Amino acid sequence: DAGITQSPRYKITETGRQVTLMCHQTWSHSYMFWYRQDLGHGLRLIYYSAAADITDKGEVPDGYVVSRSKTENFPLTLESATRSQTSVYFCASRGITGELFFGEGSRLTVL
Amino acid sequence: QKEVEQNSGPLSVPEGAIASLNCTYSDRGSQSFFWYRQYSGKSPELIMSIYSNGDKEDGRFTAQLNKASQYVSLLIRDSQPSDSATYLCAVNSGSEKLVFGKGTKLTVNP
């Protein structure tokens, strides 16, 4: 089915480990985004991408790395996970009138 | 810093009543406005978009935009328990990014 999918949906890891969250969209949208959502903070933008091989920092990029070798994929990597990165992560792509469509989310716990 | 402000709630209304959700934004140049609904444990879901001053109706939902006063609101008529969720206001100020408010939690009591 067309849409935006994230994997894994749930992940438990340990401090210091590398974690990659995957995001795949089938709409061929140019723009893609990664947000984290925490109680009291709402949605905060981590990184975004305007097209393949074009990425830019958002509000809270420290500790995260992104890449976009193909239009449909936008993985988010935590190179050395910390407890403060325990969160729910949402990937989104942007439609032609500026609206965002979100994936189902990835719930990450860092022990 | 472009900001979007919402009352955190919770807003509690009885079933069948009108729920009114409000949002103000700081950037006068904002052009696009969106309302998202987020059920607990789920992802945000787009329910309304509005781009020009006035009202836009879609079923039981009405979005209202007043650019001069820099506010956008969402009215939910005949509220149902299934409308209980957190509602997020999002604003685009002409850049690639949406700025989200922190959301208003709505509870509709049977």
Side-chain angles (χ1 to χ4, degrees):
Chain A
D1 288 340
I4 184 164
T5 55
Q6 294 183 231
S7 62
R9 294 289 314 281
Y10 302 91
K11 176 74 175 179
I12 299 174
T13 191
E14 295 178 337
T15 301
R17 290 192 180 266
Q18 180 173 299
V19 176
T20 296
L21 306 179
M22 305 300 293
C23 180
H24 175 78
Q25 55 112 350
T26 60
W27 291 306
S28 299
H29 289 163
S30 294
Y31 280 92
M32 296 186 73
F33 303 81
W34 273 106
Y35 289 87
R36 61 178 290 175
Q37 189 174 41
D38 306 284
L39 280 175
H41 291 281
L43 283 165
R44 292 185 290 176
L45 181 64
I46 304 171
Y47 269 96
Y48 66 102
S49 169
D53 298 321
I54 301 175
T55 62
D56 208 347
K57 296 178 180 180
E59 182 184 354
V60 288
D62 292 345
Y64 303 95
V65 174
V66 293
S67 62
R68 194 156 175 218
S69 58
K70 294 183 178 181
T71 299
E72 60 266 31
N73 296 324
F74 190 37
L76 175 74
T77 297
L78 291 67
E79 293 191 303
S80 179
T82 65
R83 289 198 180 93
S84 65
Q85 293 177 309
T86 292
S87 186
V88 180
Y89 292 85
F90 289 105
C91 179
S93 65
R94 194 179 79 167
I96 59 174
T97 49
E99 69 276 33
L100 295 189
F101 299 97
F102 287 86
E104 295 172 306
S106 295
R107 185 176 295 272
L108 176 67
T109 301
V110 183
L111 301 177
Chain B
Q1 181 84 4
K2 299 171 182 176
E3 295 181 342
V4 176
E5 300 287 340
Q6 297 181 251
N7 289 327
S8 60
L11 174 65
S12 183
V13 300
E15 184 174 355
I18 296 175
S20 178
L21 304 160
N22 299 312
C23 171
T24 59
Y25 57 93
S26 62
D27 187 352
R28 189 169 288 276
S30 298
Q31 300 170 354
S32 307
F33 307 85
F34 306 92
W35 283 100
Y36 286 81
R37 177 177 62 201
Q38 187 175 24
Y39 292 115
S40 180
K42 301 295 186 181
S43 61
E45 171 193 12
L46 179 69
I47 54 172
M48 289 289 287
S49 57
I50 187 166
Y51 305 97
S52 56
N53 278 330
D55 294 359
K56 179 181 178 182
E57 186 175 319
D58 183 1
R60 295 186 296 110
F61 297 96
T62 298
Q64 299 176 316
L65 175 60
N66 184 323
K67 290 185 178 180
S69 300
Q70 295 177 238
Y71 84 79
V72 57
S73 61
L74 179 71
L75 301 178
I76 306 174
R77 291 182 301 280
D78 188 24
S79 295
Q80 300 297 309
S82 59
D83 295 325
S84 297
T86 296
Y87 289 81
L88 305 174
C89 174
V91 176
N92 185 303
S93 300
S95 73
E96 308 92 341
K97 298 168 282 188
L98 287 187
V99 180
F100 284 85
K102 292 182 179 180
T104 298
K105 185 174 182 179
L106 172 67
T107 299
V108 181
N109 301 303

